[in-house]
Amino acid sequence: MGRGKFKGKPTGQRQFSTPEDILAGTSRRPRTFKREEAEHVEEVSEDEAAGEESGEESGEELEEKSEQRRKGTQGLIEINNPNLVRAKNLKAKDVDFGKTTELSRREREELEKQRAHERYMQLQEQGKTEKARLDLERLALIRQQRAEAAKKREEEKAAKEQKKAEARK
């Protein structure tokens, strides 16, 4: 029974090599693939042999060779991109703990802002800033007014009690 107007993709027409074909060497795989693979293996073995002969290759030279051998098409295409940032892999033995990291401008400004605020708050607590002096003067005035109001209430209360005492007599 049909499945509609369109036919499916012709994936069923693929032909695969049988184990007999592979053993006989009459596989349909392109021969160039085998040649490229054999050349790559020879290059790797030559590089290793050259490395053993020199005997004094440092880690940097090995890293350069690993950069030369690239995956896929990267080895075929030379890229001269000045904006390309290569990742610098640091090994644990190469890490310098004494070196302090540089802060960005924003981080530096944020730290300076926090320190200035802390300094200001300390001066505020000690009463050395102009705002703190004004606050302390205001507080002193309010305390004085409250003390006067309390004294006045006491006097009024005493006068009221005296009037009551005189009215009883």
Side-chain angles (χ1 to χ4, degrees):
M1 186 170 149
R3 294 191 137 241
K5 182 178 177 182
F6 300 106
K7 295 180 182 179
K9 292 189 170 81
T11 56
Q13 297 174 359
R14 291 184 183 160
Q15 294 188 2
F16 297 98
S17 300
T18 61
E20 294 85 26
D21 290 340
I22 293 172
L23 290 174
T26 59
S27 174
R28 295 209 167 109
R29 197 165 94 195
R31 295 183 187 271
T32 57
F33 179 78
K34 281 187 179 179
R35 274 191 243 132
E36 288 175 4
E37 190 174 285
E39 289 172 2
H40 179 69
V41 170
E42 288 175 3
E43 288 176 5
V44 171
S45 62
E46 288 174 4
D47 289 343
E48 290 174 0
E52 291 173 3
E53 290 173 5
S54 65
E56 297 181 9
E57 284 191 343
S58 65
E60 294 176 1
E61 292 176 12
L62 289 175
E63 289 176 12
E64 289 176 13
K65 284 188 178 183
S66 67
E67 286 181 5
Q68 289 173 356
R69 283 187 238 126
R70 296 181 180 151
K71 296 179 183 176
T73 58
Q74 290 178 347
L76 302 175
I77 302 170
E78 283 297 319
I79 300 172
N80 294 325
N81 184 356
N83 298 326
L84 181 66
V85 178
R86 292 199 173 104
K88 295 180 181 179
N89 294 332
L90 284 178
K91 295 182 181 176
K93 64 181 180 179
D94 297 336
V95 174
D96 185 15
F97 290 106
K99 178 181 160 188
T100 58
T101 57
E102 294 284 328
L103 297 175
S104 68
R105 178 184 56 82
R106 288 182 181 167
E107 291 172 337
R108 264 196 321 271
E109 289 175 355
E110 184 67 28
L111 282 175
E112 289 172 6
K113 186 177 176 183
Q114 287 176 357
R115 289 180 186 145
H117 182 69
E118 289 172 8
R119 246 183 279 119
Y120 179 77
M121 293 307 289
Q122 284 178 346
L123 292 174
Q124 184 86 358
E125 288 174 9
Q126 296 170 3
K128 294 184 178 178
T129 63
E130 189 65 31
K131 186 177 179 183
R133 287 190 196 120
L134 293 173
D135 287 344
L136 291 174
E137 289 175 11
R138 197 178 310 117
L139 284 173
L141 183 64
I142 290 171
R143 283 186 186 136
Q144 183 183 2
Q145 290 173 351
R146 286 182 181 169
E148 289 174 2
K151 188 177 180 182
K152 190 176 179 181
R153 279 194 303 267
E154 288 292 324
E155 290 174 1
E156 289 175 0
K157 192 176 182 182
K160 221 178 199 183
E161 286 180 16
Q162 247 183 1
K163 281 186 179 179
K164 280 186 182 179
E166 289 178 8
R168 286 184 190 167
K169 289 183 185 178

